[in-house]
Amino acid sequence: MRKIVLSIIGIVLIALSVFAAITLINNKNEKKPKPEKVIKTVFASKVINGTIPIVISAHGNVVAKRRVELYAEVQGVFKKGSKLFKTGESYNRGEAIIRIDAAEYSATVQSAKSNLYNLLTSIMPDLRLDYPEIYSKWQAYLSAFDMNKTIAVLPEMTTDKEKYFITGRGILTSYYDVKTLEQRLAKYRISAPFNGILTEALVNEGTLVRTGQKLGEFINTDVYELEVSIPKTYSDLLQIGETVHLINLDKTNEYSGIVTRINGNVDQASQTIKAFIEIKNKGLKEGMYLEAKLNAKKEENAIEVARGLLLENNQIFVIHDSVLDVIDVTPIYFSDKTVVLKNVPDGETIVSKPVVGAYAGMLVKKLMDNKVKAGN
């Protein structure tokens, strides 16, 4: 009985093994499904070479074209004026910005004027008797002499005898002494050389001002200047008087400027040249950061594409019969977002938007993109 059971079990196992083998053989002979080819759709544009303007982008801070640093040339107490000496205060041309107490020095000037007046008075009798031909002009000068005003220029001396007489009496020496004192007296008052605003105030009213001390800074708010660095490659293409488009960082305000100066020295470190743009706009403030767009030149037979389309080794993707290929190009100018290329044949179909994982020989389906401008 045991032998019979074992025999049956053996036969069953053999049958199962044969069935499994047959099943594996049949499965191996079945054809596997071929994977479907994935064809990517890419944006493409036809190349039309044209004239591309090279626009150089540069940045810089706006500064006042006319500025004056205020220094004291005399010593004294800072007197209170009609306006507070504070930053942001505006002054018109000729208006007093700073007044320093000059009472003591003014008395010295008056004393010197009095001495000159006495000398002039003392020579009048001699002039009347010995030089009647010149008496009248000196008498007129003496009559117009005003102690409270700046002294007038002495009458012109036409003869040697007149010069010797006037000089010998010490009038010329006394006259120039007074003029020297008057010049120094004028320094006790600092006036605005132009309409502007006070941007820095370093002293307060009532304080003692010392000779050589810096008092503040005054700028003209009518005209500003923007200093930008230009690559030396395009420096010879910039012209004085050329109009420049400017925009602020927020892209909310636009301004117009004119190139007024171009430095002749090349910066050795950056190989750039400084250009200065004059801007007249009431909305500007000193220190504002602006971006300038300078029209350097126009490149003939070129196209402008996104920088992401330029591959390594200066190549770009083109489409030939639904297959990606690469061609060599010559980059001319790089901006922040675009690149100007030459040596791209007219009528060539190029990829107008970057494709992830693209390679030469890849099958693609092109979708003509009219929005992408390959050339002008």
Side-chain angles (χ1 to χ4, degrees), residues 37-41 321-324 359 361-365:
K37 291 183 179 180
V38 178
I39 300 177
K40 282 192 175 182
T41 300
D321 298 327
S322 300
V323 177
L324 283 185
Y359 57 89
M362 178 180 177
L363 286 173
V364 294
K365 179 182 178 182

Side-chain angles (χ1 to χ4, degrees), residues 236-340:
D236 57 335
L237 303 173
L238 280 179
Q239 299 294 329
I240 292 177
E242 185 176 343
T243 302
V244 180
H245 177 71
L246 304 117
I247 191 168
N248 63 352
L249 283 180
D250 299 328
K251 312 294 184 184
T252 54
N253 293 320
E254 296 182 357
Y255 310 94
S256 179
I258 297 175
V259 178
T260 54
R261 291 179 290 134
I262 300 174
N263 196 351
N265 182 41
V266 178
D267 186 277
Q268 295 298 320
S270 61
Q271 290 296 294
T272 58
I273 291 179
K274 300 290 186 182
F276 299 87
I277 304 166
E278 183 179 293
I279 318 163
K280 295 180 180 180
N281 193 291
K282 294 295 184 182
L284 288 175
K285 300 291 182 184
E286 188 172 63
M288 287 179 63
Y289 194 76
L290 296 181
E291 179 182 1
K293 300 290 187 181
L294 298 100
N295 297 317
K297 69 172 183 176
K298 294 182 179 180
E299 195 67 48
E300 303 291 339
N301 297 319
I303 64 171
E304 185 175 20
V305 298
R307 289 188 62 164
L309 299 179
L310 184 64
L311 308 175
E312 294 181 2
N313 302 322
N314 294 332
Q315 295 178 324
I316 61 171
F317 280 120
V318 296
I319 302 174
H320 293 155
D321 298 327
S322 300
V323 177
L324 283 185
D325 197 1
V326 292
I327 61 171
D328 295 325
V329 295
T330 304
I332 300 299
Y333 174 72
F334 290 89
S335 66
D336 293 340
K337 297 180 180 179
T338 63
V339 57
V340 177

Side-chain angles (χ1 to χ4, degrees), residues 106-141:
S106 180
T108 304
V109 176
Q110 292 297 96
S111 176
K113 284 184 181 180
S114 178
N115 183 50
L116 175 61
Y117 185 80
N118 291 337
L119 287 175
L120 289 170
T121 304
S122 66
I123 67 169
M124 296 311 295
D126 293 334
L127 288 177
R128 188 169 188 176
L129 294 174
D130 300 333
Y131 306 98
E133 66 278 7
I134 63 172
Y135 171 77
S136 58
K137 67 179 180 182
W138 285 97
Q139 179 60 47
Y141 182 82

